[in-house]
């Protein structure tokens, strides 16, 4: 008789508490909520996707280049309201694209995109400059938590300081900018960064109140999505975060694959490892206790 391979079930491994990560980047908290299996594969099994054999002009590279352009531009302390600021920004863009993008056609496409985005970005930037001045760029932050024992780390694209001494945290997004509900439930990066800042997590800045935070879209929509700090004050954010960490210390909590992806078409670099396709999002999870 013909042999058949049994289909895999939707995995939800339960490793020992001692093996579970004691440190994560603030950008990986969204992954922990949406696709815990990816954290299991990355931080417990220590598996990372291989770099492609040939470099490509993918969205990740575009994001890196655009971030670097804005980092260099803001570092020059420009006056965004000055008409000369546009050429200043585009000169940095041309230089950076020449250094980082070896494909002439792609270089032209990305420069054309930045030329279209420059005016609306500078218009919004002038308003940001009215609110405060740049205090830190690519600001490294970390905070050690005693209970449960855990270290949260991360890098803020930019932190400004208002006249009253409060902080304004900004993150540039070349991809989809998360909405308010998504920030409340899943994309908690800015909210947690704000809570970290108020607890001294960004050492250079000390303990300071955070008055605003926002994702700045660097894309066709140029949407600015403020963090819902009025609905999610930092004390509540921090308490919810500690509760989330404590839940991951419960032995019966498994690292379920594709737990809460936004779209069914979303992919994970570990889909092949979880054997997604043999099971579907409608399938129940199959917990497995690991030793």
């Amino acid at each position: 008789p013909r042999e058949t391979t049994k289909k895999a079930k939707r995995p939800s491994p339960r490793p020992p508490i001692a093996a579970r990560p004691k440190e994560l980047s603030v950008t990986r908290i969204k992954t922990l909520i949406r696709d815990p299996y990816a954290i299991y594969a990355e931080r417990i099994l220590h598996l990372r996707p291989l770099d492609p054999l040939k470099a490509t002009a993918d969205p990740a590279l575009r994001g890196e280049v655009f971030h670097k352009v804005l980092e260099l531009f803001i570092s020059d302390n420009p006056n965004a309201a000055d008409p000369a600021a546009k050429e200043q920004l585009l000169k940095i863009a041309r230089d950076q694209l020449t250094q980082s993008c070896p494909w002439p056609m792609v270089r032209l496409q990305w420069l054309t995109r930045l030329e279209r985005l420059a005016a609306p970005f500078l218009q919004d930037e002038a308003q940001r400059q009215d609110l405060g001045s740049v205090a830190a760029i690519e600001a490294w932050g970390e905070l050690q938590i005693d209970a449960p024992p855990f270290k949260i780390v991360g890098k803020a694209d930019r932190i400004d300081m208002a006249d009253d001494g409060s902080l304004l945290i900004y993150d540039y997004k070349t991809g989809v900018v998360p909405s308010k509900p998504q920030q409340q439930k899943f994309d908690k990066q800015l909210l947690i960064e704000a809570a970290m800042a108020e607890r001294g997590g960004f050492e250079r800045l000390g303990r300071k109140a955070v008055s605003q935070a926002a994702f700045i879209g660097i894309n066709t929509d140029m949407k600015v999505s403020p963090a819902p700090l009025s609905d999610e004050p930092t004390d509540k954010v921090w308490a919810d975060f500690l509760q989330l960490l404590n839940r991951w210390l419960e032995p019966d909590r498994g690292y379920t694959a594709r737990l809460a992806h936004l779209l069914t078409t979303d992919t994970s670099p570990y889909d092949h490892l979880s054997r997604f396709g043999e099971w579907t999002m409608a399938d129940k999870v199959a917990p497995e206790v690991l030793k």
Side-chain angles (χ1 to χ4, degrees):
R2 182 180 177 182
E3 292 186 6
T4 58
T5 302
K6 193 175 182 179
K7 288 185 178 180
K9 295 181 179 180
R10 186 179 187 180
S12 184
R14 297 175 179 176
I17 298 302
R20 302 189 184 200
K22 302 298 187 294
E23 177 182 324
L24 282 177
S25 165
V26 67
T27 58
R28 302 303 286 161
I29 300 303
K30 176 182 74 171
T31 307
L32 182 64
I33 297 170
R34 286 199 179 276
D35 188 14
Y37 189 84
I39 298 296
Y40 164 74
E42 177 185 291
R43 298 304 304 273
I44 298 175
L45 298 184
H46 302 290
L47 299 174
R48 297 292 180 93
L50 294 173
D51 292 332
L53 295 176
K54 183 178 180 181
T56 58
D58 58 10
L61 177 61
R62 186 182 72 236
E64 290 176 14
V65 173
F66 283 23
H67 271 73
K68 189 64 178 180
V69 169
L70 295 178
E71 177 191 340
L72 294 173
F73 175 70
I74 297 299
S75 297
D76 284 346
N77 294 312
N79 177 3
D82 187 338
K86 182 176 180 180
E87 180 53 35
Q88 183 182 355
L89 173 62
L90 293 178
K91 181 182 184 307
I92 292 172
R94 286 191 288 270
D95 291 345
Q96 192 59 35
L97 285 166
T98 300
Q99 293 178 33
S100 306
C101 183
W103 306 277
M105 183 60 69
V106 175
R107 197 159 57 231
L108 179 60
Q109 290 172 345
W110 288 359
L111 180 59
T112 301
R113 178 177 298 195
L114 284 169
E115 287 173 342
R116 289 198 307 266
L117 303 181
F121 171 79
L122 291 170
Q123 184 177 355
D124 286 345
E125 179 58 25
Q127 296 177 12
R128 284 187 285 273
Q129 291 181 350
D130 287 341
L131 294 175
S133 56
V134 176
I137 297 174
E138 295 289 303
W140 177 257
E142 59 180 61
L143 204 57
Q144 182 65 52
I145 302 167
D146 294 329
F150 194 85
K151 188 177 185 180
I152 183 72
V153 303
K155 188 180 288 184
D157 285 346
R158 169 180 168 187
I159 302 179
D160 287 9
M161 186 176 295
D163 291 339
D164 63 3
S166 65
L167 302 179
L168 308 102
I169 303 176
Y170 299 116
D171 186 82
Y172 303 119
K173 282 283 187 185
T174 52
V176 178
V177 176
S179 65
K180 174 182 173 180
Q182 288 169 350
Q183 290 190 60
Q184 289 176 302
K185 299 294 184 183
F186 303 104
D187 294 41
K188 295 177 176 287
Q189 175 184 342
L190 283 181
L191 291 171
I192 295 176
E193 284 180 0
M196 289 173 63
E198 294 195 347
R199 286 158 179 78
F202 294 92
E203 187 177 359
R204 286 174 50 195
L205 301 173
R207 289 173 176 259
K208 288 184 171 63
V210 175
S211 53
Q212 290 187 40
F215 287 106
I216 302 172
I218 310 298
N219 48 37
T220 305
D221 295 333
M222 291 301 291
K223 180 181 178 182
V224 176
S225 182
L229 290 171
S230 57
D231 297 319
E232 301 285 330
T234 52
D235 284 347
K236 177 181 181 297
V237 169
W238 195 248
D240 290 346
F241 178 54
L242 294 181
Q243 185 180 33
L244 174 70
L245 295 180
N246 277 305
R247 286 206 302 269
W248 283 104
L249 294 179
E250 297 170 2
D252 61 350
R253 186 168 183 84
Y255 289 77
T256 302
R258 301 174 66 93
L259 179 62
H261 274 199
L262 177 61
L263 302 172
T264 56
T265 53
D266 286 347
T267 61
S268 164
Y270 302 103
D271 278 342
H272 65 296
L273 184 67
S274 70
R275 293 169 65 176
F276 176 60
E278 296 181 36
W279 52 271
T280 71
M281 300 286 286
D283 289 359
K284 293 182 179 180
V285 301
E288 181 183 4
V289 177
L290 306 179
K291 296 181 179 180

